[in-house]
Every structure is written in C-alpha cells, then in structure tokens.
C-alpha cells in the first residue's frame, strides 16, 4: 500500500492536534527554608547541616480529568484522591539534594486501579463562627519505588506536602458548581502568595518531606530502616497555568505545515 507524503503529514498533524490544547494544568512553585529535621530510624538528613537551608519545589496538578471530592462546608473542600490515575507530580530541592515524585502511582492489578495517595484541600474564607479562616490550599503527594539488586531490594517511599493560609488577601473563591454539586473548585486560580512577616499568623505556610527506605539483604537476612522527615516554612507560592500548546508542540505543527507546503508545491510542479 502506497502512502503519499500528504497523507503521512496529515496523520502526523492529527496525532499532535489530538492532544488537549486547553489542559487544565497548574504548577505551584514554592520557596522556603528548613525549620526542623527529625530522624525516627537511621539518619538520612543531617539535622544540623540542613537546618535553615533554602527549600524550593513545585506541585503540578492536572485537573483535566475529574477529581472527586466533597464540599464539607461553605468554606472547605477536600478530596482524598486514592483510586484513580495520579493527578499530582511534585519535586523538592533541599540544599543541593533534589527529589522528584513523578511516578505513575502504585498500581494494584488485583483491583485494576491506582493508589496515588494524593490529597487536595482548598479553603475559601473569610470567617467561620466569628473566627478567621482565610483563603488557603493544601496538597499532598506520594511516590514509591522498589529497586532490585543481586542480593535483595531497596524500597523507597516519599511523602511531600505543603499548605498555606492567608487572612489578608482574598484570592480564592468557590464557583457555583462547587457549592451546588461538590464539584472541584478552580485550583488553577492564579496565586501569588508571600509571607512578609513570619512572626504573624495572618499569613502562614509550611510543609514536610518524608523519606522512608528499607533495604532487604538476602545474605544478611536483616533490614536497615530509614525514616527521616524535613519540615519547612514557606515564604512564597506562585502559580503557572498551562492553558495553551507548549513551544515544542507549536514547533512541530509549524514544521509539519511547512513540510506539507513544500511537498504540495513539488507535486504541483511535477
């Protein structure tokens, strides 16, 4: 079967154009500093070397697929996202150490489902029972990976979470769909949050990163547990929303168009 250049290029263009141009993807970039280090088992993070070190990281949330949740009150929505495909990828840099939680979630073949163990929360203040609530967001991500070697295996589990509240600025709001049907609020709402006074509770943010490791050595017949947690204080959170094709995506479409024009012109001359 002969396939013309025009057919081939049309197929390529169709494949690229099939990707969602308006995917509801938002990245929360955060900064802060290490405020506490705790080692429950063997030490992984140095409690003295990391204290006060800068923290930088991100949570990328893909809401193009539905995320079921519950509007608990008129100001609080939450979701334990634990049996669908993962919606969050995240990373954190502690000093010169970088960790990425970008696995595809733990898949359970017996139930034909994922176990991403993610949690999303949003607060839309301002008050509750004459007490201040404020606007806020909390996200939790999870990743697990098992590495096999000749005499055993290494099982590493990572937990990353953060949350921030603001009693001064009103930058979040539940839409009508959320209020009527427990639909997920708009997590792609622009956020540019800074804690300019760490001594005040009017703006407050923090998080933790927990690393758990277990080495199973067949020859030694023992395990060596590691359970280390770093807590950090947030100083800023800013969002970047992806709502248009990436530069690479646009480049491929443009290149395909130019090539199609070239082939079309050649065919015309022939």
């Amino acid at each position: 079967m002969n396939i013309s250049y025009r057919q081939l290029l049309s197929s390529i263009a169709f494949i690229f154009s099939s990707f969602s141009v308006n995917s509801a993807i938002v990245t929360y970039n955060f900064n802060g500093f290490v405020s506490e280090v705790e080692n429950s088992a063997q030490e992984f993070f140095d409690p003295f070397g990391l204290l006060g070190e800068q923290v930088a990281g991100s949570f990328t949330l893909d809401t193009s697929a539905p995320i079921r949740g519950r509007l608990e009150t008129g100001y609080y929505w939450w979701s334990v996202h634990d049996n669908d495909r993962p919606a969050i990828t995240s990373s954190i840099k502690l000093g010169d150490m970088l960790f990425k939680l970008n696995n595809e979630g733990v898949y359970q073949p017996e139930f034909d489902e994922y176990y991403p163990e993610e949690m999303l929360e949003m607060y839309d203040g301002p008050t509750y029972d004459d007490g201040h609530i404020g606007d806020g967001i909390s996200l939790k991500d999870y990743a697990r990976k098992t590495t096999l070697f000749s005499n055993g295996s290494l099982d590493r589990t990572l937990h990353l979470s953060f949350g921030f509240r603001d009693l001064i600025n009103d930058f979040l709001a539940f839409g009508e769909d959320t209020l009527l049907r427990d639909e997920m609020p708009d997590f792609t709402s622009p956020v540019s949050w800074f804690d300019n006074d760490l001594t005040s509770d009017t703006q407050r943010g923090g998080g933790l990163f927990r690393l758990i490791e277990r080495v199973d050595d067949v020859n030694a017949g023992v395990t060596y547990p590691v359970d280390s947690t770093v807590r950090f204080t947030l100083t800023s959170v800013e969002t970047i929303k992806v709502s248009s094709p990436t530069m690479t995506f646009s480049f491929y479409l443009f290149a395909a168009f130019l090539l199609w024009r070239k082939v079309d012109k050649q065919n015309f001359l022939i």
Side-chain angles (χ1 to χ4, degrees):
M1 180 177 65
N2 295 325
I3 300 176
S4 68
Y5 282 107
R6 181 178 296 183
Q7 289 174 320
L8 179 60
L9 292 174
S10 297
S11 299
I12 293 173
F14 174 77
I15 291 173
F16 281 111
S17 63
S18 297
F19 291 100
S20 176
V21 173
N22 295 312
S23 296
I25 299 174
V26 61
T27 295
Y28 295 81
N29 293 316
F30 63 87
N31 290 278
F33 59 89
V34 176
S35 54
E36 183 182 351
V37 178
E38 176 185 352
N39 291 289
S40 301
Q42 292 193 30
E43 179 179 304
F44 186 92
F45 297 113
D46 182 359
F48 300 104
L50 267 184
L51 200 63
E53 284 285 332
Q54 288 191 344
V55 173
S58 66
F59 282 85
T60 297
L61 174 61
D62 182 356
T63 62
S64 57
I67 297 178
R68 293 182 294 272
R70 178 178 178 181
L71 186 67
E72 192 71 31
T73 67
Y75 65 87
Y76 174 55
W77 181 94
W78 63 276
S79 170
V80 178
H81 188 60
D82 61 359
N83 59 1
D84 291 306
R85 68 171 181 83
I88 297 176
T89 58
S90 61
S91 67
I92 185 170
K93 186 175 182 181
L94 305 167
D96 58 356
M97 295 181 293
L98 176 64
F99 300 89
K100 295 182 178 181
L101 289 74
N102 57 355
N103 67 336
E104 293 303 317
V106 179
Y107 181 69
Q108 298 176 316
E110 63 272 26
F111 302 110
D112 189 26
E113 65 182 20
Y114 291 95
Y115 186 63
E117 198 174 295
E118 299 169 345
M119 186 164 185
L120 295 76
E121 296 175 291
M122 181 182 286
Y123 297 84
D124 176 21
T127 62
Y128 169 68
D129 287 347
D130 297 325
H132 290 288
I133 295 297
D135 283 11
I137 289 176
S138 175
L139 300 173
K140 298 179 183 179
D141 197 8
Y142 165 87
R144 189 176 73 195
K145 182 179 180 181
T146 299
T147 303
L148 301 176
F149 52 88
S150 58
N151 296 321
S153 63
L154 169 64
D155 189 43
R156 170 178 279 193
T157 303
L158 305 176
H159 297 261
L160 178 61
S161 64
F162 88 150
F164 61 98
R165 296 276 195 93
D166 195 314
L167 299 175
I168 301 175
N169 302 299
D170 184 17
F171 52 88
L172 299 174
F174 291 162
E176 184 177 348
D177 288 342
T178 303
L179 296 173
L180 294 177
R181 294 185 292 272
D182 282 354
E183 295 291 334
M184 185 179 68
D186 185 11
F187 277 89
T188 63
S189 299
V191 173
S192 184
W193 179 87
F194 296 89
D195 190 347
N196 297 313
D197 185 1
L198 297 176
T199 63
S200 172
D201 287 335
T202 55
Q203 295 173 304
R204 179 62 61 88
L208 67 83
F209 176 65
R210 183 182 180 187
L211 183 148
I212 303 172
E213 282 188 349
R214 188 183 70 186
V215 178
D216 292 317
D217 192 321
V218 175
N219 293 333
V222 296
T223 61
Y224 305 93
V226 172
D227 191 347
S228 195
T229 300
V230 174
R231 291 179 174 83
F232 53 90
T233 298
L234 290 178
T235 55
S236 68
V237 178
E238 294 190 272
T239 56
I240 299 176
K241 182 180 179 181
V242 179
S243 58
S244 60
T246 63
M247 185 65 70
T248 303
F249 172 77
S250 301
F251 170 78
Y252 278 126
L253 284 181
F254 183 67
F257 174 76
L258 291 180
L259 187 57
W260 179 84
R261 291 285 295 177
K262 181 178 181 181
V263 172
D264 187 67
K265 184 177 181 180
Q266 290 175 345
N267 291 337
F268 176 79
L269 293 175
I270 292 174

